[in-house]
């Protein structure tokens, strides 16, 4: 038992350090530079933007702090993702599934990864807010949970609404499971309600600013497209449901049929994703992936008699919360891959919870396999992140040198930027040669014409040699 506890502590520490380092290597992107232009948290809290932009007071405030203090941002990254990954252990008491959750986060669809892990502002609003949801699975200190629920309401609008709904559902469920905690859940509802009111009281939601738009059904095609991109998760979910039914019921037909359909859909999705020539297969797989998700969920709950009372409510809580996190986007936009993070995380937890309650995959070979995957893919992600870091540090040095010495005046308004590689790991909707947030942050004249320098051509030049970087860029790009 002591060895298991030490393994848990060591792995949790490794997860914390890993994501803290990953945060430092990935650096800043896109709107991070807008928030970096705000001089301090105090100027944000006392300025006109606070009550007139949006109600993500905590997320926006942390984006400002994170831009000015990278080490603090890295610590928040590590702590947040450690808590999310630990939540599966708190449910299952299985370290191997905790390692599996770590791998699942690393292999999430690149769009979600880039807009959350690879984008500080996205992370503080969409990833950090998930802590307020997964922390309700075990019941912690009453005051601490109330504080988490209140401040957790100031990061992402859909999650704010689902937190409020969650507390009402918990009050209802507690009447069946444990009436002694109903009073505590009323406190949770009260603080969630206060947070929701405070968030949506912001004038940014009631003015025609173009930031928040309301249109019934406008985001449905994008939601379906993002669900289709999660075919790996849906494949794993289908297998976990099949495994659960096979272990609990002994039914030799249904789980195999479901698993067969799941594998067929997965193969079609892989083929259409990697080989774009198969247009008909691509269109078919789009529908089949979503159908596979629906079938897996329906088949599972149709076999609710295989669950005890606690297992049923925990499963229902995870699934309903996952779908509730994307339902508001049916009427609210903008919608992007980042909006799917909560759905992805909760469905991963649900899938591994099914593995745990069916007492499956307990052999040492599975633990060794999942540990090897974590090490190899984790190392690969760090390798790519380091390439990004090398490019970004050179880019910052090159920009600062040109701004300081006004080299563009004698260079036909040419302004050089180091090209940032691995764009699937970080998010920016703008061209690297004309990135408005960076232009504003570094005070680059708008009259300049951006030119890209291949990062691998300057990677061996130190980031403190701005002049040498400029000479190299000028030589490379005519």
């Amino acid at each position: 038992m002591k060895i298991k506890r030490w393994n848990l502590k060591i792995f949790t520490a490794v997860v914390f350090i890993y994501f803290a380092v990953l945060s430092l290597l990935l650096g800043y992107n896109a709107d991070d530079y807008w928030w970096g232009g705000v001089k301090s948290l105090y100027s944000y809290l006392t300025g006109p933007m606070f009550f007139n932009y949006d109600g993500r007071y905590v997320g926006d405030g942390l984006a400002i702090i994170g831009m000015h203090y990278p080490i603090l941002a890295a610590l928040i990254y590590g702590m947040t993702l450690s808590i999310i990954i630990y939540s599966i252990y708190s449910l299952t008491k299985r370290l191997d599934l905790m390692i599996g959750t770590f791998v699942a986060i690393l292999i999430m669809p690149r769009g979600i990864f880039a807009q959350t892990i690879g984008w500080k502002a996205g992370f503080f609003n969409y990833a950090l807010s998930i802590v307020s949801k997964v922390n309700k699975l075990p019941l912690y200190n009453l005051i601490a949970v109330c504080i988490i629920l209140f401040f957790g309401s100031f990061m992402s609008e859909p999650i704010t609404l689902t937190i409020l709904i969650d507390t009402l559902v918990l009050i209802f469920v507690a009447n069946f499971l444990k009436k002694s905690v109903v009073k505590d859940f009323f406190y949770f509802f009260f603080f969630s309600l206060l947070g929701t009111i405070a968030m949506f009281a912001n004038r940014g939601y009631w003015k025609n600013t173009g930031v928040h738009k309301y249109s019934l059904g406008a985001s449905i095609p994008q939601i379906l497209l993002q669900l289709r991109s999660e075919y790996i998760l849906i494949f794993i979910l289908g297998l976990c449901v099949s495994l659960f039914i096979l272990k609990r019921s002994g039914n030799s037909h249904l789980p195999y049929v479901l698993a067969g359909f799941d594998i067929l859909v997965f193969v079609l999705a892989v083929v259409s994703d990697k080989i774009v020539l198969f247009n008909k297969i691509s269109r078919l797989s789009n529908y089949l992936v979503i159908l596979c998700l629906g079938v897996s969920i329906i088949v599972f709950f149709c076999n609710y008699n295989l669950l005890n009372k606690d297992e049923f409510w925990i499963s229902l809580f995870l699934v309903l919360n996952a779908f509730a996190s994307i339902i508001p986007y049916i009427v609210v936009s903008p919608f992007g891959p980042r909006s799917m993070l909560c759905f992805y995380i909760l469905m991963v937890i649900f899938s591994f919870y099914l593995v745990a309650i069916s007492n499956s995959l307990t052999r040492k070979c599975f633990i060794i396999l999942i540990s090897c995957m974590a090490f190899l893919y984790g190392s690969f992600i760090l390798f790519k992140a380091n390439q990004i870091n090398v490019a970004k540090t050179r880019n910052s040095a090159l920009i600062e040198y040109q701004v300081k010495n006004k080299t563009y005046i004698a260079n036909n308004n040419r302004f050089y930027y180091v090209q940032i590689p691995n764009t699937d790991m970080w998010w920016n909707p703008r061209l690297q040669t004309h990135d408005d947030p960076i232009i504003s942050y570094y005070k680059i004249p708008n009259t300049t014409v951006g030119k890209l320098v291949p990062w691998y051509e300057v990677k061996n030049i130190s980031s403190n040699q701005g002049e040498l970087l400029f000479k190299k860029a000028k030589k490379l790009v005519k």
Side-chain angles (χ1 to χ4, degrees):
M1 185 61 72
K2 287 184 178 179
I3 295 175
K4 287 185 178 180
R5 281 202 298 268
W6 273 108
N7 287 343
L8 174 64
K9 290 178 181 178
I10 291 170
F11 181 69
T12 304
V14 168
V15 168
F16 175 84
I17 294 169
Y18 180 89
F19 284 111
V21 171
L22 186 61
S23 167
L24 293 172
L25 291 177
L26 290 174
Y28 303 99
N29 309 298
D31 293 1
D32 294 337
Y33 287 99
W34 287 129
W35 295 114
V38 179
K39 293 182 179 180
S40 66
L41 181 62
Y42 177 78
S43 60
Y44 165 69
L45 295 174
T46 57
M49 186 180 186
F50 184 72
F51 284 115
N52 292 280
Y53 184 66
D54 61 28
R56 302 178 181 183
Y57 310 119
V58 172
D60 295 344
L62 286 173
I64 295 168
I65 294 172
M67 188 67 185
H68 291 289
Y69 303 99
I71 298 296
L72 182 57
L75 293 176
I76 295 172
Y77 257 64
M79 187 179 299
T80 301
L81 290 164
S82 296
I83 292 172
I84 290 173
I85 292 172
Y86 179 81
S87 66
I88 189 65
Y89 182 83
S90 68
L91 269 179
T92 65
K93 306 303 178 187
R94 283 181 54 172
L95 181 61
D96 56 335
L97 297 181
M98 193 175 170
I99 299 172
T101 306
F102 171 74
V103 174
I105 288 175
L106 294 183
I107 66 170
M108 71 171 69
R110 293 296 88 184
I112 302 177
F113 188 99
Q115 291 193 13
T116 52
I117 310 296
W119 179 34
K120 296 291 186 295
F123 182 88
F124 290 133
N125 282 301
Y126 291 90
L128 188 57
S129 59
I130 297 175
V131 173
S132 59
K133 299 177 79 65
V134 298
N135 256 346
K136 294 202 293 294
L137 299 178
L139 183 59
Y140 294 130
N141 180 274
L142 176 63
I143 296 175
V145 174
C146 288
I147 292 172
I148 289 172
L149 290 174
F150 179 73
F151 287 102
S153 300
F154 303 135
M155 286 179 270
S156 170
E157 295 85 359
I159 292 182
T160 297
L161 294 173
T162 55
I163 287 173
L164 182 65
I165 296 170
D166 285 348
T167 54
L168 284 171
V169 171
L170 287 171
I171 291 171
F172 173 76
V173 173
N175 280 298
F176 295 93
L177 296 180
K178 196 174 181 181
K179 290 188 177 183
S180 60
V181 298
V182 171
K183 183 179 178 182
D184 293 341
F185 289 149
F186 270 111
Y187 284 119
F188 296 168
F189 170 72
F190 176 74
F191 279 90
S192 298
L193 181 62
L194 283 181
T196 303
I197 292 171
M199 173 182 235
F200 289 100
N202 190 285
R203 297 189 191 98
Y205 298 108
W206 309 106
K207 295 164 65 176
N208 187 22
T209 60
V211 177
H212 306 282
K213 299 176 182 178
Y214 306 91
S215 177
L216 182 62
S219 297
I220 289 179
Q222 293 149 308
I223 292 172
L224 295 178
L225 183 63
Q226 288 303 318
L227 282 172
R228 185 251 178 260
S229 73
E230 297 187 13
Y231 63 86
I232 297 177
L233 168 64
I234 294 169
F235 170 67
I236 293 171
L237 171 64
L239 291 183
C240 290
V241 171
S242 302
L243 195 60
F244 169 78
I245 295 173
L246 181 64
K247 289 280 187 176
R248 284 287 179 96
S249 71
N251 187 323
S252 59
H253 299 295
L254 179 60
Y256 288 112
V257 171
L258 179 61
F261 176 61
D262 190 46
I263 292 170
L264 174 64
V265 171
F266 177 71
V267 171
L268 289 175
V270 171
V271 170
S272 64
D273 192 42
K274 303 301 180 184
I275 308 175
V276 294
L277 297 177
F278 293 95
N279 292 327
K280 291 183 179 180
I281 293 178
S282 180
R283 286 195 294 268
L284 176 63
S285 69
N286 289 343
Y287 296 112
L288 288 179
V289 167
I290 297 168
L291 177 63
C292 187
L293 172 64
V295 168
S296 297
I297 297 296
I298 291 169
V299 167
F300 172 75
F301 282 107
C302 283
N303 288 273
Y304 70 92
N305 57 304
L306 303 177
L307 300 161
N308 63 39
K309 189 182 290 187
D310 287 346
E311 291 169 349
F312 173 77
W313 285 114
I314 289 174
S315 300
L316 188 63
F317 175 86
L318 290 170
V319 172
L320 289 182
N321 268 272
F323 283 96
S325 68
I326 57 176
I327 286 174
Y329 290 108
I330 292 175
V331 294
V332 178
S333 61
F335 173 88
R338 59 190 177 275
S339 308
M340 296 295 297
L341 179 66
C342 184
F343 176 88
Y344 182 85
I345 294 294
L346 291 178
M347 292 307 286
V348 166
I349 293 174
F350 172 60
S351 300
F352 288 146
Y353 178 65
L354 295 185
V355 173
I357 61 178
S358 61
N359 199 29
S360 302
L361 304 177
T362 55
R363 295 183 179 180
K364 286 187 178 180
C365 59
F366 173 71
I367 299 173
I368 293 171
L369 176 63
I370 202 71
S371 299
C372 289
M373 286 180 62
F375 176 78
L376 293 174
Y377 199 74
S379 299
F380 175 67
I381 292 293
L382 284 182
F383 173 76
K384 293 183 69 177
N386 185 61
Q387 292 180 331
I388 293 171
N389 178 256
V390 168
K392 285 187 175 181
T393 52
R394 274 63 178 174
N395 189 44
S396 296
L398 180 59
I399 290 173
E400 289 171 0
Y401 177 83
Q402 292 176 94
V403 171
K404 181 180 179 181
N405 295 280
K406 298 182 179 179
T407 58
Y408 46 85
I409 294 177
N411 196 31
N412 294 324
N413 273 337
R414 290 185 178 182
F415 201 94
Y416 301 108
Y417 300 89
V418 176
Q419 187 175 22
I420 313 300
N422 306 324
T423 54
D424 61 327
M425 289 181 60
W426 58 278
W427 183 71
N428 193 350
R430 306 168 186 89
L431 293 174
Q432 289 186 40
T433 52
H434 195 84
D435 193 339
D436 291 337
I438 287 182
I439 288 173
S440 174
Y441 182 77
Y442 287 104
K443 296 180 173 55
I444 302 169
N446 286 317
T447 55
T448 58
V449 179
K451 298 290 182 179
L452 281 183
V453 180
W455 75 277
Y456 50 84
E457 295 285 0
V458 297
K459 66 179 181 179
N460 294 322
I461 302 175
S462 174
S463 58
N464 60 8
Q465 295 181 299
E467 184 178 1
L468 187 56
L469 283 167
F470 174 71
K471 289 180 179 179
K472 184 71 172 179
K474 193 174 180 180
K475 181 181 178 180
L476 289 169
V477 183
K478 301 298 183 181

